[in-house]
Amino acid sequence: DTGVSQDPRHKITKRGQNVTFRCDPISEHNRLYWYRQTLGQGPEFLTYFQNEAQLEKSRLLSDRFSAERPKGSFSTLEIQRTEQGDSAMYLCASRRGDRVAGPQETQYFGPGTRLLVL
Amino acid sequence: QKEVEQNSGPLSVPEGAIASLNCTYSDRGSQSFFWYRQYSGKSPELIMFIYSNGDKEDGRFTAQLNKASQYVSLLIRDSQPSDSATYLCAVKAAGNKLTFGGGTRVLVKP
C-alpha cells in the first residue's frame, strides 16, 4: 500500500521566485487537500479537490497561489513571487470519497514539502 | 476565539503514567473528530477517530467525545518516551476540510 507522496521534500528559494510542489495521493482516494503549517501551529487548510474539480479554497490562498489536479490523480501547488512569509511546511492529504461519517473520512498526510524563502 | 483550541503544553508526564489531553471546538455542527500525532519535523499521523458521544479505545489510547459540551479528549495510558510528540486535535464540520488546533506538546520522562 503506497501512501501519499510529495516532491520535493525540501525547497530553498529566493524571494520573488516561483516554486511548484507535487502531491501524489493514495491511488483509490479521489479527495485531495493542501494544508500549510508554520512552526508551533496546527495545519491550516488551503484548498480541496474532488477528482479534478477544485471545490473549496481558503481565504489564505492569495492570488499568488494556484493549485491544479488536471487528471484527478496527482496535484500541483504553485506559489508565484514567493515572499518570506510563505516559508512553511506544505502538507498534502488524501481520503476516500464516501460521504457518510466514519473512518473513511480520515485524511492521510504525505511527508510534506518544507519551503524556506530567503 | 479560535475554532479549535488546545493547551500548547508542554505536558510533562513520567513514564508509565496517564497523559490527558483536551480539545474544545466552537462549531456545534462539527461531526467528526480526529487525533493526530506529529513528531518534530514530520507530518501528522492518525491515532484516533471518533464521531459518537462517549469513549473509544484503541490499545493505550482512549478518545472521549462530549458534543453537548463541545470537547474531545485523548488519554494515553502507560505513557512511553516514544509518545513524546505534539498531538493535534482536528475537527470536521459540515464541509470537507479539517480544522486543527495548535497542538499539545507531550514530553514523557523516563
Side-chain angles (χ1 to χ4, degrees):
Chain A
D1 178 28
T2 305
V4 179
S5 62
Q6 292 186 246
D7 184 70
R9 297 288 302 276
H10 299 89
K11 179 70 176 179
I12 299 174
T13 191
K14 293 182 178 180
R15 188 176 54 187
Q17 297 295 305
N18 299 343
V19 294
T20 300
F21 309 142
R22 176 178 170 130
C23 170
D24 287 87
I26 294 171
S27 59
E28 64 267 26
H29 290 185
N30 66 358
R31 300 192 184 196
L32 186 148
Y33 303 79
W34 286 98
Y35 293 85
R36 179 172 67 187
Q37 186 177 26
T38 53
L39 199 62
Q41 304 297 317
E44 294 177 295
F45 170 78
L46 292 178
T47 190
Y48 150 67
F49 290 86
Q50 182 168 329
N51 298 311
E52 66 276 9
Q54 187 175 20
L55 297 185
E56 190 173 348
K57 290 197 294 185
S58 165
R59 56 185 167 78
L60 293 175
L61 213 64
S62 75
D63 291 345
R64 297 185 297 106
F65 288 71
S66 62
E68 294 183 339
R69 195 183 181 196
K71 297 182 179 179
S73 56
F74 72 92
S75 175
T76 58
L77 177 69
E78 182 183 16
I79 309 174
Q80 295 182 328
R81 305 181 304 282
T82 52
E83 302 173 355
Q84 288 182 324
D86 297 330
S87 297
M89 171 87 89
Y90 289 83
L91 293 162
C92 176
S94 71
R95 58 159 278 202
R96 288 170 51 186
D98 304 56
R99 290 187 177 183
V100 295
Q104 60 271 22
E105 291 187 286
T106 298
Q107 294 183 22
Y108 295 91
F109 284 85
T113 294
R114 188 174 295 279
L115 173 66
L116 177 61
V117 181
L118 300 177
Chain B
Q1 182 188 6
K2 291 185 178 179
E3 293 180 63
V4 180
E5 298 214 41
Q6 297 181 253
N7 188 318
S8 61
L11 176 64
S12 184
V13 296
E15 184 174 356
I18 296 175
S20 178
L21 292 76
N22 295 314
C23 169
T24 58
Y25 59 93
S26 60
D27 186 344
R28 284 197 170 273
S30 299
Q31 301 170 334
S32 306
F33 307 85
F34 304 81
W35 284 100
Y36 285 86
R37 177 176 62 198
Q38 187 173 30
Y39 292 111
S40 180
K42 304 296 185 182
S43 63
E45 56 178 327
L46 181 75
I47 298 177
M48 294 283 289
F49 165 91
I50 187 168
Y51 63 96
S52 298
N53 277 325
D55 295 359
K56 179 181 178 182
E57 186 175 319
D58 184 359
R60 296 186 295 111
F61 299 97
T62 299
Q64 299 173 317
L65 175 60
N66 185 323
K67 289 185 179 180
S69 299
Q70 295 177 242
Y71 83 78
V72 57
S73 63
L74 179 71
L75 298 178
I76 308 173
R77 291 182 301 281
D78 188 23
S79 296
Q80 302 297 310
S82 59
D83 295 328
S84 297
T86 295
Y87 290 79
L88 298 163
C89 172
V91 175
K92 178 184 171 299
N96 289 284
K97 68 180 183 181
L98 292 179
T99 301
F100 285 84
T104 297
R105 192 156 68 97
V106 173
L107 295 174
V108 180
K109 297 186 174 181

